[in-house]
Amino acid sequence: MSAPGQPPRGKTLAIRALKYGVTLAIVGAAAFLLHRYIAKMAWHDVRDALARIPRWHVVGSIGAALASWACLTAYDVFAVETVVPGKVSMKMKIFSGATTHAICNALGFHAITGTALRYRVLSTQGVRAPDVARIVGLVGFSVGMGFAAVTCIALVMEPSIANEWGRWLGMGLVVAFVLLLHWLAGKHDELKVWKFTTPVPSARSAASQIAIGVIEMIGAILTMYLLLPPEIAGSFLDFAPIYVGAVLAGILSNTPGGIGAFEALTLAAFPQEQRAQVLAALLAYRVIYGFGPFILASIALGGFEIRRRARKTT
């Protein structure tokens, strides 16, 4: 027997099986494609392509990554202030957001790792577990809005992406954004979904987060785009849908940092003769956008834990 208000057990198992099936299918397809592509490459070509990436491109890529991470951190600042206004200092909001995004991006499983890391930091400021869950939900909503906003811009400016239907799809997203902001402007303080209730941002705050989301996504795309040779990368608007699609594939795969699926879909978008250079750019991107922030955030979080324990013993 299922508890009142809970879906039947059979339905729950079917949904879980479908989820795992989709994950395994994506991971399996990614592994097959990566093996197929990499088997045809010579590693000295990849090494030479890495060495040929201009230094100013690397510097620009690092700058774009920093801009993207700053925007991701801003999501947490907005979310914490919306859920528990005035309770957490700006320093702790920034620390929680920056370290959580950097570690979650590398490890994956954002719902689990993001909640645990935020609770570890924010609980020292008196934030309760239900409020942390609301913060995670709002951050996820903001990230989704960023994806949607960039997709909207790409579809409106490049309708050929969706076989000439892109402009209509883009305008549909514009209408959805307008309706959302209109609803938020109606003095709504919270959103209730089944038994879960969460505070919602004001229309002005939501509009700011959408703008931040566009900057964040542009920064993330530029981080990878600048590492590709110009003759391969093409225009920024041509590359943006490839990146967004690869990120979505990585999210659906549920692998740490989307590793495997992200690389497979990106490589699939380019002809075989260009894939050694694309793989070199992917390796550099993983260091700049993934591994580097993960190491720095881990060191910062370790220092936080050491200071926290030292205060307890004194």
Side-chain angles (χ1 to χ4, degrees):
M1 291 289 291
S2 300
Q6 296 291 325
R9 181 172 177 80
K11 184 178 179 180
T12 301
L13 291 175
I15 293 173
R16 189 175 299 173
L18 178 63
K19 178 182 176 182
Y20 290 151
V22 170
T23 298
L24 287 173
I26 294 173
V27 172
F32 171 77
L33 290 173
L34 281 176
H35 180 268
R36 181 180 177 182
Y37 297 153
I38 293 175
K40 297 179 181 179
M41 295 182 197
W43 279 105
H44 64 83
D45 291 337
V46 179
R47 185 186 63 240
D48 292 344
L50 272 170
R52 287 197 300 270
I53 299 175
R55 289 186 179 179
W56 74 270
H57 280 216
V58 176
V59 173
S61 179
I62 293 172
L66 289 174
S68 177
W69 285 114
C71 291
L72 288 171
T73 302
Y75 289 152
D76 272 68
V77 173
F78 275 108
V80 173
E81 193 57 29
T82 299
V83 176
V84 284
K87 193 168 188 176
V88 181
S89 68
M90 179 60 71
K91 179 180 177 181
M92 290 304 294
K93 284 185 283 194
I94 292 173
F95 178 78
S96 173
T99 55
T100 297
H101 282 290
I103 293 174
C104 286
N105 186 65
L107 298 181
F109 307 104
H110 286 63
I112 299 173
T113 54
T115 302
L117 288 169
R118 287 185 180 91
Y119 180 74
R120 188 67 177 172
V121 175
L122 296 177
S123 63
T124 63
Q125 306 295 299
V127 180
R128 299 176 299 112
D131 287 332
V132 172
R134 294 183 178 95
I135 291 167
V136 172
L138 282 179
V139 171
F141 172 79
S142 299
V143 171
M145 289 298 98
F147 266 89
V150 169
T151 302
C152 174
I153 294 170
L155 289 172
V156 170
M157 297 184 69
E158 289 288 338
S160 59
I161 292 171
N163 295 323
E164 303 304 328
W165 286 90
R167 186 161 286 127
W168 292 102
L169 294 173
M171 292 307 297
L173 285 172
V174 170
V175 171
F177 279 126
V178 171
L179 291 175
L180 172 64
L181 294 176
H182 177 73
W183 182 81
L184 291 173
K187 305 300 181 183
H188 294 284
D189 296 324
E190 61 181 26
L191 174 66
K192 186 173 183 179
V193 180
W194 291 289
K195 295 182 178 180
F196 183 78
T197 303
T198 183
V200 295
S202 65
R204 179 178 296 181
S205 177
S208 300
Q209 290 181 64
I210 291 171
I212 290 171
V214 173
I215 299 171
E216 186 273 316
M217 282 301 300
I218 290 174
I221 297 168
L222 269 176
T223 304
M224 177 68 190
Y225 180 75
L226 290 172
L227 298 171
L228 289 165
E231 65 274 12
I232 290 177
S235 72
F236 181 80
L237 283 175
D238 287 336
F239 178 72
I242 297 172
Y243 180 91
V244 173
V247 169
L248 290 175
I251 293 172
L252 290 173
S253 72
N254 282 319
T255 57
I259 192 166
F262 178 85
E263 284 76 8
L265 198 148
T266 304
L267 289 170
F270 295 88
Q272 182 61 45
E273 61 270 18
Q274 297 177 347
R275 285 176 183 149
Q277 293 165 293
V278 176
L279 181 59
L282 283 166
L283 292 173
Y285 169 81
R286 282 294 184 183
V287 172
I288 293 171
Y289 200 80
F291 187 68
F294 172 74
I295 293 298
L296 293 175
S298 297
I299 293 172
L301 197 60
F304 171 79
E305 286 294 332
I306 291 171
R307 288 195 301 273
R308 183 168 175 262
R309 291 176 184 273
R311 289 192 190 112
K312 282 186 175 182
T313 57
T314 57

